[in-house]
């Protein structure tokens, strides 16, 4: 008798969505824009179905060398900790480890016995079907701004910013999202990939739709018996100017930031290149300073305990297009990101909509009136001042050598170019996040982004590319330390060290310590902000037989020898300013071009920059495979990390990914999100379900 994987049980028996049900309840693509953005996913799906027809559904049970087999644990994934680095005061419990692992006297990694508090599956639990009888609390993951300890570390003072209700958002219950506190003995399924404990995303709370979205306009009725939050005061949302709120907030807090807001950043508008932009493109590169380069051997990024720092700023770019329908759910989502990331933090983040105008009849860059008409027609007024428009002719004007600029597919093949241009337009940011607008996060955005950013910053460079090539599963690999130790056993010489030589590319990343990777005790890069972050693995697309692996142009080493890496999916990535500038320079001077799933990763590899795959908690709803079987499909001993190097496993992996919480197929993400919103099969919103979920990234969300 085969035991059903406990972490795959999402609902109780009466509401469990069975494996066969998904095919009949997949939501249809709703708009022309959705269909446009889904064309590549459709092609991949057709390829997948063809591949699957060549193989049986059943496959041999096989373990990879990364598998360990701990006994089942009944500990809750909510009994977790988030490391307090002095930047925030998230709920905390026991300290997780983000360094590579324990060392013996010779500096070699050792594997300790299984920790008793791992976030492993509980065989008898489901997601919390209702928040009834749980205690409601306002969710506040922010630092203790202006405290004595905070002032010791940071320049300036934090000033609270006005929100859509005209009052300071910090401390105002109506502008603060809520959550439900789980009892100490609560248990919830753990994700098969990624970890709450090891990344700092655990909180001890679950999130119900009304408590999460009511500050942003969701006036949903309250379920019977639910200890719900009071309905926040109403807002005339059409009169809110989110751009002005963000601008005022950043100005009020400008003494906290080293780089002040650009004087030429208003209005928020791209422009066509001028001769100087091309002739002086070298000036856009961010080169390593000589003294920093020399000191990199001694880990320049370790902070002196008595040195004050300026807070670095982050830009959040939400990618969308002209015919996108702004449903109520989309509106809640955008408002929540601006409020939680920008306004509550005092301008540490700033949120923008990057809107592609597909209709080329609108000459938005030659006629200011046409630009404003497009803005009025395609973007809700409250978001006008956080929106920036672009089109294919703009990208072609800036990057005429870099790939084909076909109006029918430029959105997909040139996704990073608007990000590159934005780093020139708004250079005051250090890290630029790009999210697709069909991503949802049930938890708190600031907690999410800060956990990702800080975790990536703590990772050492040694074996970072190698660790990033694998799916990390606490159920299989145990602690992050154990996982890192196993990777080191596979790569005892230290793996990729610095820039990978590429003909025609002059690396601008810092040089590694001259002593070499083997002698580095996982120190280089600790405390260094990551140049590239993805929430999926970063793999070798050639060895993993990815469909787009050879879609590259204008590299001197050609399709066979050009070093490259790729992310299978990119719904949420972060790219540093120095990496974006290197990409911009390369595309203008050389015309280098790759698919967007490869270009940032490959540029980081070629320039010797720090790239990290964040182990985002990911659920898989499939009940005919064991954890060991699933892991053996996705992980291999080589640097490729994915598909186990074989076409059969690639097809099976594609099949399984239909039921992932965050991939590029909408089957499971849509089902779970609709249930969380209380939307029935007919598309009607009901009050029958008050599902209380952990903080989960869901992608893609379509037709809601």
């Amino acid at each position: 008798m085969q035991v059903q994987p406990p972490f795959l049980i999402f609902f109780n028996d009466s509401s469990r969505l069975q494996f066969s049900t998904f095919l009949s309840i997949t939501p249809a693509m709703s708009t022309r824009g959705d269909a446009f953005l889904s064309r590549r996913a459709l092609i991949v799906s057709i390829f997948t179905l063809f591949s699957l027809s060549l193989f049986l559904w059943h496959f041999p049970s096989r373990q990879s060398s990364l598998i360990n087999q701990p006994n089942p644990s009944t500990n809750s994934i909510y009994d977790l900790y988030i490391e307090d680095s002095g930047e925030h005061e998230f709920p905390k419990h026991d300290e997780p480890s983000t360094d590579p692992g324990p060392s013996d006297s010779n500096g070699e990694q050792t594997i300790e016995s299984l920790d008793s508090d791992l976030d492993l599956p509980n065989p008898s639990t489901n997601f919390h079907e209702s928040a009834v009888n749980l205690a409601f609390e306002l969710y506040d993951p922010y630092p203790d701004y202006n405290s004595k300890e905070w002032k010791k570390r940071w320049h300036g003072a934090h000033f609270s910013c006005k929100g859509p209700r005209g009052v300071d958002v910090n401390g105002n219950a109506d502008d603060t999202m809520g959550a439900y506190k789980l009892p100490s003995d609560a248990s919830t399924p753990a994700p098969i990939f990624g970890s709450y404990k090891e990344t700092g995303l655990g909180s001890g709370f679950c999130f119900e739709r009304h408590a999460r979205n009511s500050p942003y306009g969701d006036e949903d009725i309250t379920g019977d018996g639910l200890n719900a939050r009071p309905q926040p005061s109403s807002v005339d949302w059409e009169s809110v100017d989110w751009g002005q709120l963000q601008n005022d907030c950043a100005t009020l807090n400008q003494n906290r930031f080293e780089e002040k807001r650009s004087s030429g950043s208003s209005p928020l508008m791209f422009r066509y290149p001028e001769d100087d932009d091309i002739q002086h493109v070298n000036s856009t590169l961010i080169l390593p300073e000589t003294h920093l380069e020399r000191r990199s051997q001694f880990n320049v990024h370790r902070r002196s305990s008595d040195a004050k720092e300026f807070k670095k700023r982050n830009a959040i770019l939400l990618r969308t297009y002209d015919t996108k329908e702004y449903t109520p759910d989309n509106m809640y989502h955008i408002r929540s990101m601006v409020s939680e990331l920008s306004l509550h933090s005092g301008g540490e983040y700033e949120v923008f909509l990057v809107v592609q105008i597909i209709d080329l009849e609108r000459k938005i860059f030659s006629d200011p009136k046409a630009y404003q008409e497009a803005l009025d027609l395609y973007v809700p007024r409250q978001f006008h001042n956080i929106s920036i428009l672009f089109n294919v002719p703009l990208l072609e004007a800036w990057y005429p050598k870099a790939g084909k600029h076909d109006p029918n597919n430029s959105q997909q093949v040139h996704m990073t170019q608007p990000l590159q241009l934005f780093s020139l337009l708004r250079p005051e940011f250090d890290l630029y996040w790009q999210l697709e607008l069909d991503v949802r996060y049930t938890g708190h955005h600031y907690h999410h982004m800060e956990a990702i950013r800080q975790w990536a910053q703590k990772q050492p460079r040694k074996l970072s590319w190698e660790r990033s090539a694998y799916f990390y599963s606490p159920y299989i690999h145990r602690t992050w330390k154990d996982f890192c130790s196993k990777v080191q056993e596979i790569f005892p010489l230290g793996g990729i060290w610095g820039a990978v030589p590429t003909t025609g590319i002059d690396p601008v990343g810092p040089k590694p310590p001259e002593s070499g990777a083997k002698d580095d005790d996982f120190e280089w890069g600790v405390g260094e902000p990551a140049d590239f972050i993805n929430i999926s693995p970063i793999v070798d697309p050639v060895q993993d037989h990815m469909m787009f692996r050879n879609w590259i142009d204008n590299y001197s080493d050609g399709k066979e020898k050009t070093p490259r890496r790729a992310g299978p999916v990119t719904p949420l990535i972060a790219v540093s300013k120095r990496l974006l500038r290197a990409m911009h320079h390369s595309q203008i001077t050389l015309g280098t071009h790759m698919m967007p799933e490869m270009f940032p990763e490959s540029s980081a590899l070629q320039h010797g920059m720090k790239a990290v795959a964040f182990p985002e908690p990911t659920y898989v709803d499939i009940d005919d495979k064991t954890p060991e079987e699933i892991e053996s499909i996705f992980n291999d001993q080589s640097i490729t990390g994915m598909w186990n190097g074989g076409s059969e496993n690639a097809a099976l992996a594609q099949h399984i990914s239909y039921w992932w919480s965050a991939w590029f197929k909408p089957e499971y993400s849509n089902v779970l999100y609709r249930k969380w919103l209380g939307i029935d099969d007919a598309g009607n919103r009901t009050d029958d379900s008050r599902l209380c979920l952990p903080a989960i990234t869901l992608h893609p969300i379509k037709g809601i």
Side-chain angles (χ1 to χ4, degrees):
M1 174 180 171
Q2 185 178 13
V3 178
Q4 178 173 309
F7 50 82
L8 307 178
I9 303 174
F10 287 159
F11 316 116
N12 61 29
D13 291 339
S14 62
S15 59
R16 175 78 168 94
L17 294 171
Q18 296 298 333
F19 181 93
S20 59
T21 307
F22 285 86
L23 297 179
S24 63
I25 60 174
T26 301
M29 305 300 293
S30 61
T31 65
R32 179 176 71 87
D34 281 335
F36 173 79
L37 284 179
S38 300
R39 186 172 296 142
R40 183 171 55 185
L42 177 60
I43 293 172
V44 173
S45 297
I46 293 172
F47 171 78
T48 298
L49 290 173
F50 174 76
S51 300
L52 290 176
S53 67
L54 303 178
F55 303 104
L56 297 176
W57 289 117
H58 179 73
F59 58 94
S61 178
R62 176 173 54 181
Q63 288 189 351
S64 89
S65 65
L66 289 181
I67 293 180
N68 291 300
Q69 299 186 62
N71 294 325
S73 167
T74 57
N75 292 308
S76 167
I77 66 167
Y78 289 103
D79 190 20
L80 306 179
Y81 164 88
I82 185 153
E83 184 170 351
D84 185 1
S85 64
E87 295 192 53
H88 32 270
E89 293 186 353
F90 298 151
K92 45 186 174 287
H93 190 259
D94 296 321
E95 183 174 358
S97 299
T98 53
D99 60 287
S103 300
D104 59 21
S105 58
N106 296 320
E108 297 297 328
Q109 297 297 308
T110 59
I111 299 178
E112 297 180 356
S113 60
L114 176 65
D115 289 353
S116 61
D117 58 349
L118 284 174
D119 45 334
L120 299 179
N122 186 324
S124 62
T125 59
N126 304 296
F127 283 157
H128 289 268
E129 190 70 22
S130 175
V132 173
N133 299 323
L134 296 179
F136 170 80
E137 294 185 19
L138 296 176
Y139 196 84
D140 184 1
Y142 300 96
D144 188 6
Y145 291 121
N146 300 329
S147 66
K148 183 178 179 180
E149 289 301 314
W150 187 88
K151 289 182 177 180
K152 284 182 180 179
R153 180 169 185 182
W154 301 106
H155 282 288
H158 174 275
F159 292 94
S160 186
C161 300
K162 293 290 190 295
R165 292 172 174 82
V167 298
D168 291 348
V169 294
N170 296 89
N172 181 42
D174 285 356
D175 288 308
T176 304
M177 69 161 279
Y180 287 89
K181 183 71 175 178
L182 290 165
S184 58
D185 59 349
S187 294
T188 298
I192 184 171
F193 294 124
S195 170
Y196 289 95
K197 177 181 176 60
E198 298 285 359
T199 59
L201 283 173
S203 67
F205 289 84
C206 66
F207 302 89
E208 179 269 340
R209 66 179 187 261
H210 181 255
R212 202 257 172 274
N213 287 333
S214 59
Y216 316 115
D218 185 357
E219 298 180 354
D220 183 24
I221 58 176
T222 300
D224 293 338
L226 187 64
N227 182 18
R229 67 173 301 155
Q231 181 65 38
S233 57
S234 61
V235 175
D236 179 9
W237 296 105
E238 292 304 313
S239 67
V240 175
D241 185 340
W242 291 101
Q244 190 63 52
L245 291 175
Q246 286 196 124
N247 294 343
D248 292 346
C249 188
T251 300
L252 191 62
N253 286 272
Q254 63 182 342
N255 289 331
R256 299 174 57 200
F257 313 120
E258 188 170 16
E259 291 200 44
K260 310 308 178 190
R261 191 170 185 275
S262 305
S263 59
S265 58
S266 181
L268 188 63
M269 184 184 294
F270 289 131
R271 61 170 175 81
Y272 272 62
E274 300 173 354
D275 289 343
D276 283 352
D277 295 315
I278 307 303
Q279 294 172 4
H280 299 120
V281 66
N282 287 351
S283 65
T284 64
L285 289 172
I286 300 175
L287 302 174
E289 298 179 16
T290 303
H291 72 285
L292 289 181
E293 186 175 315
R294 287 198 306 265
R295 292 172 57 199
S296 67
Q297 298 182 40
F298 304 99
N299 195 13
V300 67
H301 297 285
R302 290 194 183 277
R303 183 177 63 89
S304 172
S305 60
D306 58 353
K308 281 193 174 185
E309 297 179 73
F310 285 104
K311 190 70 178 177
K312 297 184 183 300
R313 300 194 68 209
N314 298 255
I316 304 288
L317 277 65
L318 303 176
R319 286 291 299 268
T320 184
Y321 50 93
D322 51 11
T323 56
K324 176 67 176 178
E325 179 185 1
Y326 288 84
T327 64
D329 186 71
N330 283 319
M331 304 292 275
Y332 307 152
H333 173 60
I334 298 169
R335 294 168 188 162
S336 70
M337 295 200 79
V338 177
S339 181
E340 293 164 22
L341 287 167
S342 179
L343 303 184
H344 279 81
S345 73
E348 295 173 20
Y349 290 76
E350 197 163 334
V351 179
F352 304 91
L353 288 176
V354 182
V355 185
Q356 180 180 6
I357 302 302
I358 301 173
D359 183 1
L360 298 185
E361 295 299 316
R362 298 186 177 277
K363 309 300 181 183
I364 58 175
F365 292 108
S366 59
D367 182 359
K369 183 179 179 181
Y371 191 99
Q372 186 60 48
E373 287 177 349
L375 200 60
D376 292 338
L377 181 61
Y378 297 127
V379 181
R381 181 168 297 278
Q382 60 188 283
F383 301 136
H384 277 196
N385 287 330
I386 67 170
S387 298
I388 184 165
L389 311 183
F390 77 97
N391 60 15
V392 171
L394 174 76
L395 303 183
E396 188 172 19
W398 276 95
Y399 306 109
K401 301 177 183 178
K404 296 179 180 179
H405 292 271
D406 185 342
N408 293 321
N409 63 19
S410 192
Q411 165 83 351
Q412 290 110 337
V413 301
H414 297 289
M415 287 181 64
T416 62
Q417 289 181 350
L419 202 59
Q420 294 161 204
L421 294 178
F422 195 85
S423 77
L424 299 172
L425 180 69
R426 297 293 299 270
E428 68 268 30
F429 302 104
D430 283 88
L431 193 63
Y432 297 78
W433 302 70
Q434 181 168 268
L435 286 78
E436 298 172 10
L437 198 54
D438 58 1
V439 175
R440 292 293 183 272
Y441 189 65
T442 58
H444 195 283
H445 293 302
Y446 184 85
H447 186 169
H448 190 209
M449 299 302 186
E450 281 295 282
I452 293 174
R453 184 189 63 78
Q454 290 192 32
W455 188 90
Q457 184 167 323
K458 295 170 188 172
Q459 302 310 304
R461 279 178 172 258
K462 182 176 178 178
L463 293 177
S464 180
W465 288 104
E466 290 73 23
R467 291 190 300 273
S468 295
Y470 291 101
F471 287 90
Y472 164 62
S473 174
Y475 185 80
I476 305 300
H477 306 136
R478 307 192 296 188
T479 68
W480 180 254
K481 287 184 179 181
D482 296 335
F483 170 73
C484 293
S485 297
K486 276 292 188 181
V487 173
Q488 189 186 12
E489 289 178 10
I490 299 172
F491 301 94
L493 298 181
I496 294 172
W497 192 241
V500 175
T502 308
T503 303
I505 301 295
D506 187 13
V508 298
K511 293 182 180 179
E514 295 178 0
S515 56
K518 195 173 188 304
D519 294 330
D520 177 70
D521 192 20
F522 293 95
E523 292 185 347
W524 185 43
V526 174
E528 176 189 14
D531 290 289
F532 181 79
I533 306 171
N534 196 353
I535 61 171
S536 80
I538 303 170
V539 303
D540 185 330
V542 176
Q543 294 188 48
D544 278 337
H545 309 289
M546 287 188 170
M547 185 190 306
F548 52 75
R549 61 188 178 276
N550 288 323
W551 293 7
I552 65 174
D553 294 298
N554 299 324
Y555 284 89
S556 297
D557 291 330
K559 299 182 188 300
E560 297 298 323
K561 297 182 179 180
T562 298
R564 71 204 81 164
R565 290 294 182 270
V569 291
T570 56
L572 187 160
I573 61 172
V575 193
S576 72
K577 179 165 57 180
R578 72 175 176 180
L579 178 53
L580 286 170
R581 296 293 182 80
M583 294 160 60
H584 170 76
H585 181 272
S586 176
Q587 291 207 312
I588 284 184
T589 59
L590 302 176
T592 56
H593 173 250
M594 293 184 179
M595 288 295 287
E597 291 87 352
M598 289 196 294
F599 190 45
E601 295 91 330
S602 300
S603 297
L605 182 74
Q606 297 159 5
H607 282 278
M609 297 190 189
K610 183 178 178 180
V612 173
F614 179 77
E616 182 79 16
T618 303
Y619 290 86
V620 182
D621 186 32
I622 185 169
D623 56 9
D624 64 345
K625 301 291 182 283
T626 67
E628 290 79 10
E629 288 173 329
I630 293 175
E631 195 271 348
S632 70
I633 294 172
F634 286 93
N635 282 334
D636 186 40
Q637 295 185 32
S638 72
I639 195 173
T640 64
M642 287 182 61
W643 314 145
N644 223 330
S647 59
E648 177 179 359
N649 280 336
L652 288 165
Q654 293 281 5
H655 164 62
I656 292 173
S657 67
Y658 272 92
W659 289 274
W660 282 34
S661 53
W663 203 245
F664 56 78
K665 302 181 181 75
E667 277 72 11
Y668 178 61
S669 55
N670 258 28
V671 169
L672 183 56
Y673 193 62
R674 283 172 175 269
K675 184 171 180 63
W676 187 65
L677 292 177
I679 298 175
D680 61 22
D681 292 347
N684 301 314
R685 190 162 178 174
T686 70
D687 196 44
D688 296 336
S689 172
R690 310 301 296 201
L691 185 63
C692 204
L693 292 175
I696 305 177
T697 296
L698 298 170
H699 174 266
I701 300 300
K702 301 292 185 183
I704 300 177

